[in-house]
Amino acid sequence: MSDESPIGSPEIARPETEFTGIRKWLRQGENLLVSLALAAMVLLPLTEVVLRKMFQTGIVGASAFLQHFTLVIGLMGGALAARDGRLLSLSTLTNFLHGRWRTFARIFSGTFAAAVTVFLCLGAWQFVMAEKAGEQILAYNIPTWTVQLILPLGFAAIALRLIWRCSEDWRGRLLALVVVGALVYWLGFKPPMEPEKWVVPLLIMLLCSMALGAPIFVMLGGTALILFWGEELPIASVSLTHYSMVTNPTLPTIPLFTLAGYILAEGGASRRLVKVFQSLFGQLRGGPAIVTVLMCAFFTSFTGASGVTILALGGLLMPVLVAAKYSERSALGLLTGSGGLGLLFPPSLPLILFAIVASSNVKSSGVTIEKMFLAGLLPGILLVTLTSLWGISKGPKIESQGKKIQWNEVWLSIWEAKWELALPVVALVALFGGFATPVEAAAVTALYAVVIETFVYKDLKLTRDVPRVLSECTLLVGGVLLILGVALGFTNYLVDAQIPSRGVEWVTQAIESKYAFLLVLNLFLLVVGCLMDIFSAIVVVVPLLVPLGVAYGIDPIHLGIIFLANLELGLLTPTVGINLFLASYRFNRPVLEITRSVIPIQIVLLIGVLLITYFPFLTTFLPSLLK
């Protein structure tokens, strides 16, 4: 081929190069913006604490600004996740499709997902325009609606990126764009005379798109939109509930505590903490298993995402187990099963989220973040103990002969990791010592993690690594907040339809015994864990269960721990069991092999869940001490 051929021509190649350069520049700009927003979330409450303690004053509108920073991070983080193809999804069906079928699945799911997102954008625009007419002020004469604009802008960016990623070529993207435009015109501007007749077909199409890989937020948001549209109710109500959920005064604790976990995972904390636990337990039979369980529980409690634990620690702990002569199946099962153990330990994201949702639905429930943190401690220790005992039983019987704990090594490893071992103490003292609100305690914890990993251990560079970790954390948090916001819209539809009250009436008539109800509850939650991710399950299912628990005289805090313990099992259960797929990816093993390896751990955790269910003092004892 000659040099004058169009394919080899530099004049033709240059626009593509320039386009790639522009995309890279935009990517860096987006990452910088979300990093600055998350950094501001850390610094704002800390500044408020200093001003309050030293000068008995504060920042005007600090709480409102912080809540709206969460809104900005949620939408921008969601846009970043859409950009990188990392919006949370349940289906793995496309992994088994090839050729034209795979292409069709991507275009169909991406197109329908984009259409739903465009309707979310339109609803958000209607909501913002209504708020603009109200002329509300955030602070310093800043109109609230100017910040709320991030809702339609964020959904618009997500929709465009869903269209872009649904195909590798322009023809597929153009087809998706045309179909999205047609759907929006038909359903939004020229709706049929009897829209209720189209509800079921649209829900079926939505379910198909979900099965083919559409993100979780599309399923929940799309369901809410279709149901509201079918009854000719304004779709802006979905955006209103999204806004009210994401700007909840306590919700900033989620990105802040998650950031602390991400900083630890990206630094050298895992290596130092493994040395501590190995020096303490490595000489015992099953010591490597105990090390694995404790490490996973520690990291998951801060990241709030068990998958992050498996990806971050899998490569470090798998060789430890194999070197200790654990079978590969036992090692895979232990690592995969331990990934979710930290969800009951403070400051776990699900504990915070349950407290927010339960308290907003039953005002007199008495559920607070502080009580949920205390409630999860003993049940969490129980599950860690049972899993460790299983790991010990799988260890070689000759492992501990002639070996003793080397106390010099123990003290040296503890001294080296002392700042990271102090992190839970910092978080809990700030929270329970009366020095700070939950949001301020989360900010203190996040800043502490940044300081020790950047300036004390110097594992992270302030200008190179910290912005990258901030944007990565925002990406995960954005995906979660998208789910929470749209899920509340679906929940509100259920409440408007009086589903909770009807459910209470039906169940209390069908089941008289409290203990029989608890057994049915466990079975129901196991099914929920197979069908929904933990975040959407909390927002959608908890408002239905809390009134039922109250009807049977079950403490809402005890109900919450039962709920979360069951959902831990869901992380290991097909079809949703995200830990199975992440472990398959991390260890390069088939999903079925991973599934077989975790069956013993599932049985162990099921025993623990039943003990937590029928011995409520495990949950209620510590919160009862909090006055």
Side-chain angles (χ1 to χ4, degrees):
M1 185 177 294
S2 69
D3 292 339
E4 296 179 356
S5 169
I7 296 178
S9 169
E11 288 79 13
I12 299 299
R14 186 171 59 186
E16 180 64 27
T17 303
E18 291 177 352
F19 181 64
T20 304
I22 292 172
R23 288 181 61 192
K24 182 178 179 180
W25 180 82
L26 289 174
R27 173 185 288 267
Q28 292 174 344
E30 284 181 309
N31 291 347
L32 178 61
L33 283 175
V34 297
S35 299
L36 291 174
L38 189 52
M41 282 194 68
V42 176
L43 297 176
L44 185 59
L46 293 176
T47 305
E48 183 77 2
V49 171
V50 172
L51 291 175
R52 187 174 67 242
K53 296 293 184 183
M54 296 184 65
F55 304 103
Q56 289 74 49
T57 185
I59 301 172
V60 177
S63 178
F65 278 122
L66 195 61
Q67 294 166 37
H68 286 82
F69 270 130
T70 309
L71 177 69
V72 171
I73 283 175
L75 270 299
M76 292 190 67
L80 262 63
R83 179 194 70 188
D84 295 345
R86 293 172 57 185
L87 287 167
L88 297 175
S89 175
L90 299 181
S91 176
T92 57
L93 180 60
T94 52
N95 294 335
F96 304 98
L97 299 176
H98 302 282
R100 293 181 177 179
W101 286 108
R102 185 183 181 89
T103 301
F104 169 77
R106 285 186 58 185
I107 293 177
F108 180 84
S109 61
T111 300
F112 206 86
V116 168
T117 310
V118 169
F119 278 107
L120 289 172
C121 176
L122 293 175
W125 178 258
Q126 294 172 10
F127 164 70
V128 171
M129 290 300 99
E131 291 290 300
K132 182 181 179 182
E135 299 181 350
Q136 293 184 349
I137 300 298
L138 189 65
Y140 302 104
N141 292 322
I142 300 174
T144 304
W145 71 270
T146 58
V147 184
Q148 293 169 337
L149 270 175
I150 191 65
L151 270 168
L153 293 175
F155 280 124
I158 293 170
L160 289 173
R161 281 162 174 176
L162 287 170
I163 291 173
W164 179 268
R165 295 192 65 87
C166 78
S167 178
E168 298 294 335
D169 59 64
W170 287 98
R171 290 176 298 176
R173 293 164 183 163
L174 183 60
L175 174 63
L177 186 62
V178 170
V179 173
V180 168
L183 283 172
V184 171
Y185 178 77
W186 173 51
L187 297 175
F189 298 99
K190 294 290 183 179
M193 294 296 295
E194 298 178 336
E196 66 276 6
K197 293 184 177 180
W198 290 93
V199 168
V200 173
L202 287 172
L203 288 175
I204 292 174
M205 291 179 67
L206 181 62
L207 186 61
C208 290
S209 72
M210 190 71 179
L212 295 175
I216 297 170
F217 89 89
V218 169
M219 181 66 180
L220 295 167
T223 302
L225 287 172
I226 292 169
L227 292 173
F228 276 110
W229 175 83
E231 296 191 10
E232 300 186 60
L233 297 172
I235 62 173
S237 57
V238 179
S239 298
L240 173 61
T241 55
H242 185 130
Y243 174 74
S244 64
M245 178 70 191
V246 178
T247 56
N248 183 287
T250 313
L251 203 67
T253 54
I254 290 178
L256 293 174
F257 277 129
T258 304
L259 174 61
Y262 260 82
I263 290 291
L264 288 182
E266 290 289 330
S270 56
R271 174 178 50 81
R272 285 184 288 272
L273 292 173
V274 165
K275 286 179 64 177
V276 172
F277 294 134
Q278 274 192 311
S279 65
L280 283 169
F281 305 107
Q283 315 302 323
L284 307 175
R285 180 191 169 191
I290 299 174
V291 172
T292 297
V293 171
L294 293 177
M295 282 293 297
C296 290
F298 183 92
F299 269 86
T300 301
S301 68
F302 277 94
T303 61
S306 57
V308 173
T309 299
I310 293 173
L311 295 175
L313 301 182
L316 183 65
L317 294 174
M318 188 67 174
V320 172
L321 292 170
V322 172
K325 295 183 170 55
Y326 277 79
S327 70
E328 187 174 276
R329 174 174 289 192
S330 296
L332 285 172
L334 188 64
L335 273 167
T336 307
S338 299
L341 288 177
L343 294 181
L344 294 183
F345 290 112
S348 169
L349 186 159
L351 287 172
I352 297 171
L353 186 58
F354 181 90
I356 293 172
V357 174
S359 61
S360 64
N361 282 275
V362 181
K363 301 297 182 183
S364 60
S365 65
V367 178
T368 64
I369 292 177
E370 293 89 342
K371 288 183 178 180
M372 287 301 297
F373 280 0
L374 290 174
L377 285 174
L378 293 181
I381 291 171
L382 172 66
L383 296 181
V384 164
T385 302
L386 291 175
T387 308
S388 298
L389 289 174
W390 180 85
I392 291 170
S393 71
K394 295 298 179 180
K397 294 183 179 181
I398 61 172
E399 185 180 338
S400 61
Q401 288 186 0
K403 295 183 179 180
K404 296 181 179 180
I405 296 178
Q406 302 296 318
W407 290 106
N408 286 339
E409 183 180 336
V410 170
W411 293 121
L412 285 173
S413 62
I414 290 176
W415 181 254
E416 184 182 1
K418 59 184 179 297
W419 299 109
E420 286 147 340
L421 289 171
L423 187 66
V425 178
V426 170
L428 295 177
V429 168
L431 185 62
F432 293 102
F435 305 110
T437 66
V439 173
E440 291 166 351
V444 169
T445 306
L447 182 64
Y448 178 85
V450 172
V451 169
I452 63 173
E453 295 298 332
T454 305
F455 298 107
V456 178
Y457 292 114
K458 299 181 180 179
D459 289 327
L460 300 176
K461 300 296 182 183
L462 183 62
T463 56
R464 184 189 66 193
D465 297 320
V466 173
R468 173 178 55 80
V469 178
L470 288 171
S471 62
E472 183 69 19
C473 176
T474 304
L475 189 150
L476 170 71
V477 170
V480 171
L481 293 182
L482 268 182
I483 293 171
L484 301 185
V486 298
L488 188 61
F490 177 55
T491 302
N492 281 0
Y493 177 85
L494 297 179
V495 172
D496 291 342
Q498 299 182 335
I499 300 299
S501 57
R502 293 177 183 176
V504 170
E505 182 181 352
W506 182 83
V507 173
T508 51
Q509 289 178 356
I511 304 173
E512 296 183 359
S513 168
K514 169 183 175 180
Y515 299 101
F517 167 74
L518 287 172
L519 180 60
V520 172
L521 175 65
N522 279 318
L523 295 174
F524 170 73
L525 290 176
L526 288 176
V527 174
V528 169
C530 295
L531 300 176
M532 299 181 73
D533 70 288
I534 192 168
F535 306 116
S536 53
I538 291 173
V539 178
V540 174
V541 180
V542 167
L544 309 180
L545 288 185
V546 171
L548 275 173
V550 171
Y552 283 96
I554 300 170
D555 190 316
I557 294 175
H558 181 213
L559 183 71
I561 299 302
I562 294 172
F563 183 91
L564 297 177
N566 275 279
L567 267 292
E568 275 193 26
L569 276 175
L571 296 171
L572 305 175
T573 309
T575 56
V576 170
I578 188 67
N579 283 10
L580 301 178
F581 303 111
L582 290 173
S584 173
Y585 168 78
R586 182 64 184 83
F587 302 116
N588 195 25
R589 295 290 188 276
V591 173
L592 288 178
E593 181 180 341
I594 300 292
T595 302
R596 287 194 296 268
S597 73
V598 300
I599 290 175
I601 295 291
Q602 286 180 294
I603 295 172
V604 169
L605 292 178
L606 181 60
I607 294 170
V609 167
L610 292 175
L611 291 173
I612 292 168
T613 301
Y614 290 103
F615 293 92
F617 72 89
L618 288 170
T619 297
T620 58
F621 172 68
L622 290 179
S624 68
L625 303 178
L626 185 65
K627 301 299 182 182

